[in-house]
């Protein structure tokens, strides 16, 4: 039996979208492939409220995170972490020999504009990385406000991880001044894992051109140049199957209406948070709580493993805490195509199992 996924990725994919993955193959150096990339770009630009170039990478989101920090850092990267995925960006920098410093706060608290200002004031950095939606803690950082600070430092490239929020929350790339905005398919976009997507500003491109060793497969300059000069194609063979499905899913997302989609996510988030605060406690402060997943403190000391086993028998699955929060919290995702009635159904099953 298929268990309905309430985990923060991969999420359930609609049957018609899944079917698009089975579209007959085309050559990756054909006009059709160019058109597919162009169509996806135009739709992604709407989703991200940007005029910047869209790039795809056949990798999971981590691929383009690694690409961004390696391709764009000439001087030193300031990596802000509010959980495991923020920290991953620092580990990537170090593994690639990219000079970087990690600015980590206690899990469950956000990155604040003041903190970023304090760090950028030193003049040591030309790249800032921030996680928009930290999936390990359920924090949604105030990226718009952070962007206002970064704008004061024109030499700094602003890289943002929106992997678990894009298509589930409004992200205004141009207004917020994001130079590289990264997401991937298996979270709020509701597609199978395997494709990463980013937007890249002209400024980030120019900075990257000055970086000597950008690697090969994940070189943002090479990807950008191919898109610009080779009629929207890729240096290596992309996952065309994902591209067929993404193009189709973006049509569905735009047909739902971006504001409707964001509102649906907000309504689900509000409902889960209210429920969580009634029976347990939400980890982050309300103001910074994510709209795509809720991280719930295990104040009743329940066995999340046992709860999940019993939920599985009823056809549902949720997530335990991430990393060091493993038994201390549990997470319920409300992203992608999930609806409020489905959330209500899940929560009433949890109440029933736990006798709440
Ligand atoms: C899922 C996720 C990623 C990417 O992880 P992959 O293992 O590469 O899919 C990055 N950042 C955040 C916040 C995520 O939730």
């Amino acid at each position: 039996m298929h268990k309905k996924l309430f985990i923060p990725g991969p999420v359930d994919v609609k049957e018609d979208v899944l079917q698009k993955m089975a579209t007959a193959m085309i050559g990756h150096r054909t006009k059709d492939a160019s058109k597919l990339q162009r169509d996806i770009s135009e739709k992604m630009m709407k989703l991200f409220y940007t005029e910047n170039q869209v790039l795809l990478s056949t990798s999971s989101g981590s691929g383009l995170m690694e690409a961004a920090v390696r391709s764009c850092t000439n001087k030193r990267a300031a990596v802000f972490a509010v959980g495991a995925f923020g920290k991953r960006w620092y580990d990537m920098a170090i593994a690639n020999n990219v000079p970087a410093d990690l600015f980590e706060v206690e899990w469950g608290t956000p990155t604040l504009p003041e903190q970023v200002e304090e760090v950028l004031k030193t003049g040591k950095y030309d790249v800032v990385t921030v996680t928009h939606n930290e999936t390990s803690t359920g924090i949604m950082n105030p990226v718009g406000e952070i962007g206002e600070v970064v704008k004061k430092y024109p030499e700094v490239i602003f890289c943002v991880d929106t992997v678990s929020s894009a298509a589930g929350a409004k992200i205004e790339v141009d207004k917020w001044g994001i130079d590289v905005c990264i997401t991937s398919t298996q979270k709020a976009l509701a597609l199978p894992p395997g494709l990463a997507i980013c937007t890249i500003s002209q400024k980030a491109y120019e900075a990257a051109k000055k970086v000597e060793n950008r690697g090969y497969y994940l070189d943002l300059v090479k990807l950008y140049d191919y898109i610009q000069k080779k009629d929207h194609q890729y240096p290596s063979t992309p996952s065309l199957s994902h591209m067929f499905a993404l193009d189709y899913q973006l049509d569905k997302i735009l047909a739902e209406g971006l504001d409707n989609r964001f509102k649906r996510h907000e309504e689900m988030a509000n409902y889960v948070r209210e429920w969580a605060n009634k029976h347990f406690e939400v980890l982050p402060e309300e103001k910074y709580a994510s709209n795509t997943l809720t991280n719930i403190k295990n104040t009743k000391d329940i066995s999340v493993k046992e709860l999940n086993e019993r939920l599985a028998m009823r056809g549902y699955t949720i997530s335990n805490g991430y990393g060091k929060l493993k038994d201390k919290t549990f997470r319920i995702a409300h992203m992608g195509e999930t609806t409020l009635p489905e959330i209500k159904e899940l929560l009433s099953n949890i109440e029933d199992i736990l006798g709440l």
Side-chain angles (χ1 to χ4, degrees), residues 280-335:
F280 298 90
E281 208 179 305
V282 175
L283 177 65
E285 198 188 315
E286 175 77 26
K287 191 175 167 199
Y288 301 110
S290 164
N291 278 345
T292 56
L293 79 144
T294 298
N295 196 21
I296 301 166
K297 278 198 215 170
N298 187 4
T299 50
K300 288 188 161 58
D301 208 19
I302 60 162
S303 162
V304 177
K305 186 166 173 278
E306 198 184 307
L307 170 62
N308 236 343
E309 280 163 6
R310 296 184 61 187
L311 279 170
M313 288 189 264
R314 301 176 182 214
Y316 308 93
T317 180
I318 62 168
S319 206
N320 54 15
Y322 192 103
K324 60 185 177 191
L325 295 178
K326 193 165 187 289
D327 297 311
K328 297 192 181 110
T329 71
F330 58 99
R331 294 172 299 160
I332 296 175
H334 27 80
M335 60 170 87

Side-chain angles (χ1 to χ4, degrees), residues 60-329:
S60 69
S62 299
L64 284 177
M65 288 169 70
E66 185 159 351
V69 76
R70 177 159 179 180
S71 297
C72 299
T73 313
N74 280 289
K75 228 155 74 178
R76 200 171 187 87
V79 179
F80 289 86
V82 299
F85 289 102
K87 172 82 179 359
R88 182 182 287 188
W89 230 337
Y90 175 73
D91 295 339
M92 287 167 171
I94 298 309
N96 279 285
N97 227 359
V98 171
D101 290 314
L102 175 66
F103 301 96
E104 206 173 6
V105 291
E106 196 193 328
W107 284 32
T109 63
T111 297
L112 295 173
E114 304 87 270
Q115 295 162 351
V116 177
E117 174 103 69
E118 205 55 39
V119 168
L120 289 186
K121 263 199 322 216
T122 62
K124 278 164 67 179
Y125 304 96
D126 63 347
V127 164
V128 167
T129 74
V130 170
T131 315
H132 179 231
N133 193 65
E134 178 49 76
T135 318
S136 60
T137 60
I139 285 266
M140 198 169 258
N141 275 319
V143 170
E145 290 169 37
I146 295 168
E148 290 307 312
V149 168
V150 181
K151 281 178 195 167
K152 293 194 229 161
Y153 301 86
E155 76 285 6
V156 173
I157 305 300
F158 189 24
C159 302
V160 180
D161 168 355
T162 67
V163 171
S164 59
S165 50
K170 191 171 194 174
I171 296 157
E172 294 177 274
V173 167
D174 290 354
K175 190 169 157 199
W176 296 357
I178 303 174
D179 292 297
V180 184
C181 185
I182 300 158
T183 192
S184 70
T185 43
Q186 83 273 21
K187 309 265 169 92
L189 273 167
L191 290 152
L195 199 66
I197 306 149
C198 77
T199 68
I200 177 171
S201 68
Q202 186 68 29
K203 187 174 115 183
Y205 171 70
E206 295 300 335
K209 275 206 292 194
K210 296 196 205 105
V211 174
E212 210 173 316
N213 290 304
R214 296 181 301 263
Y216 186 92
Y217 191 69
L218 296 171
D219 175 3
L220 289 183
V221 172
K222 194 196 294 292
L223 287 171
Y224 186 97
D225 284 345
Y226 251 81
I227 294 286
Q228 293 276 332
K229 295 170 192 162
K230 308 262 178 168
D231 193 22
H232 282 74
Q233 294 187 357
Y234 284 90
S236 46
T237 324
S239 174
L240 293 156
S241 308
H242 278 92
M243 290 170 70
F244 287 127
L246 173 59
D247 186 43
Y248 178 80
Q249 171 70 348
L250 286 170
D251 282 338
K252 291 186 68 169
I253 288 172
L254 293 170
E256 179 180 8
L258 291 179
D259 288 335
N260 293 337
R261 188 173 178 91
F262 303 147
K263 192 156 155 268
R264 174 167 58 79
H265 280 79
E266 205 177 306
E267 280 167 4
M268 291 191 291
N270 285 335
Y271 192 89
V272 175
R273 286 203 284 269
E274 207 169 295
W275 179 89
N277 279 324
K278 186 170 155 208
H279 300 290
F280 298 90
E281 208 179 305
V282 175
L283 177 65
E285 198 188 315
E286 175 77 26
K287 191 175 167 199
Y288 301 110
S290 164
N291 278 345
T292 56
L293 79 144
T294 298
N295 196 21
I296 301 166
K297 278 198 215 170
N298 187 4
T299 50
K300 288 188 161 58
D301 208 19
I302 60 162
S303 162
V304 177
K305 186 166 173 278
E306 198 184 307
L307 170 62
N308 236 343
E309 280 163 6
R310 296 184 61 187
L311 279 170
M313 288 189 264
R314 301 176 182 214
Y316 308 93
T317 180
I318 62 168
S319 206
N320 54 15
Y322 192 103
K324 60 185 177 191
L325 295 178
K326 193 165 187 289
D327 297 311
K328 297 192 181 110
T329 71

